[in-house]
Amino acid sequence: MEQTQQQTSIETGPQRIRVVSHLIFPYDPTVNMTKLPGANDTAASFQFDQEDHTLGNALRFMIMKNPEVELCGYSIPHPSEAKMNLRIQTYEGTTVYDALEKGFDDLMDLCDVVTTKFTDARDDFATSMDTQ
């Protein structure tokens, strides 16, 4: 699996935000999400299309590790819809967009560490099996 640069860019429009992870995988790495009404710089809700608890819980965890975030939670509005809502509230001095971008970056870094450790352990195991 080939990977290129690992950064998150958030291109903001009137109500639509597009998050591009810049990774080359067998699937489309573009996540579509909508900023829900009533948002400001320190409190906003986003709706992610085609996402579920897998991204929701991991992203919530990584965003909550940021000391400038006051609250982050996610919900799945209905099990039959492939949508995930994420709510972020930050303290003054940082924006929800910065917190969201940092959360994505931190999550990608964590995935890189897990991938590296798994690959190393798999290779060590394969080597030990070859020597027996």
Side-chain angles (χ1 to χ4, degrees):
M1 189 177 307
E2 179 187 342
Q3 296 184 5
T4 59
Q5 60 189 145
Q6 298 186 0
Q7 63 184 23
T8 303
S9 65
I10 299 178
E11 304 166 17
T12 59
Q15 281 288 37
R16 203 76 176 146
I17 296 175
R18 182 165 221 146
V19 177
V20 183
S21 65
H22 298 293
L23 300 177
I24 299 173
F25 288 109
Y27 61 88
D28 179 14
T30 302
V31 177
N32 286 313
M33 67 181 185
T34 305
K35 181 174 61 172
L36 299 176
N40 60 46
D41 283 346
T42 60
S45 294
F46 304 94
Q47 185 171 70
F48 292 76
D49 298 331
Q50 303 301 313
E51 294 299 339
D52 57 16
H53 294 285
T54 305
L55 178 64
N57 195 36
L59 187 57
R60 179 205 57 82
F61 177 78
M62 296 310 290
I63 291 172
M64 279 304 299
K65 290 178 69 82
N66 183 343
E68 297 184 7
V69 172
E70 182 177 8
L71 172 124
C72 183
Y74 83 97
S75 66
I76 306 297
H78 194 276
S80 67
E81 292 182 285
K83 295 184 185 302
M84 184 263 299
N85 293 339
L86 182 74
R87 174 75 177 176
I88 304 172
Q89 289 177 212
T90 61
Y91 295 109
E92 293 295 326
T94 189
T95 68
V96 293
Y97 309 106
D98 293 338
L100 182 61
E101 186 171 1
K102 182 175 179 358
F104 275 120
D105 289 341
D106 292 348
L107 184 57
M108 285 189 293
D109 291 344
L110 178 65
C111 290
D112 288 342
V113 169
V114 170
T115 299
T116 300
K117 288 190 178 280
F118 174 81
T119 303
D120 292 346
R122 182 198 61 202
D123 294 345
D124 291 346
F125 178 76
T127 302
S128 72
M129 294 304 288
D130 289 342
T131 59
Q132 291 180 1

